Amino acid sequence: MTSAAADVTLLARLGRLLDRLDPVPPESIDQARQIFCWRSVDAELAELSFDSLLDRDLALAVRSGESVLEPRMLGFGAVVGGADLSIEVEVSTIDGQCTMLGQLDPPGATVIGVEARHGGVLEAPVDEVGRFVVRPVPTGPVRLRIEHAGHVVHTTWVSYAC
């Protein structure tokens, strides 16, 4: 057995022993979860305010057999430093790649980050009027990260299909 494998085995045995002799109280686990939620307390949250996938007209079209799932429109809103911030995005396939076109209102950020839940981050520049393009968009649940007016803003996590 290699040294690394022996270390892993020893740590696993020690963990089981500690779990049996001195288990962690359930209230400590609950407190640890609550503290973990505060790790990004300084970031503002832009909540999903519109999703074309949930729009009533789109739902009726899907039920009627029409394929109108693209493009998907998403809108997010937040109050940052006492002012409203609007983030609108369109996710669709352009030239065979999943692409996100977006607009910040009011403009002000210079870079927008698209964070994938698996840990990847893709950054894209924002122009002087607040427009941005991200291509290709990471797969799986994603959220946007914007630095606006000296504040960090995260959108809620969303999933999409291209």
Side-chain angles (χ1 to χ4, degrees):
M1 184 180 300
T2 67
S3 175
D7 289 346
V8 169
T9 303
L10 178 61
L11 285 174
R13 291 180 66 196
L14 286 172
R16 287 191 300 272
L17 179 65
L18 286 173
D19 285 343
R20 194 172 62 239
L21 297 177
D22 189 19
V24 177
E27 53 274 358
S28 295
I29 294 171
D30 186 47
Q31 290 171 349
R33 285 188 181 118
Q34 291 176 15
I35 290 169
F36 184 73
C37 291
W38 281 91
R39 71 192 184 287
S40 61
V41 72
D42 56 338
E44 303 288 337
L45 179 64
E47 294 192 34
L48 183 65
S49 58
F50 175 76
D51 185 346
S52 64
L53 191 60
L54 303 177
D55 186 44
R56 183 177 166 268
D57 293 338
L58 179 62
L60 290 174
V62 170
R63 276 189 232 125
S64 71
E66 297 176 32
S67 179
V68 291
L69 292 176
E70 280 196 9
R72 182 165 175 198
M73 307 295 290
L74 300 164
F76 300 91
V79 176
V80 181
D84 288 336
L85 173 66
S86 165
I87 307 155
E88 296 179 7
V89 297
E90 173 184 307
V91 181
S92 61
T93 302
I94 299 177
D95 297 329
Q97 289 186 320
C98 194
T99 304
M100 180 182 291
L101 305 171
Q103 174 79 44
L104 299 178
D105 185 32
T110 56
V111 174
I112 190 161
V114 178
E115 299 179 359
R117 181 142 298 160
H118 59 74
V121 178
L122 183 61
E123 292 187 338
V126 179
D127 70 14
E128 64 279 353
V129 293
R131 297 175 299 194
F132 59 92
V133 177
V134 179
R135 186 187 327 195
V137 181
T139 59
V142 298
R143 71 177 179 181
L144 301 177
R145 181 184 188 281
I146 303 122
E147 291 189 32
H148 185 79
H151 298 271
V152 175
V153 180
H154 287 129
T155 64
T156 52
W157 292 94
V158 293
S159 293
Y160 53 86
C162 281

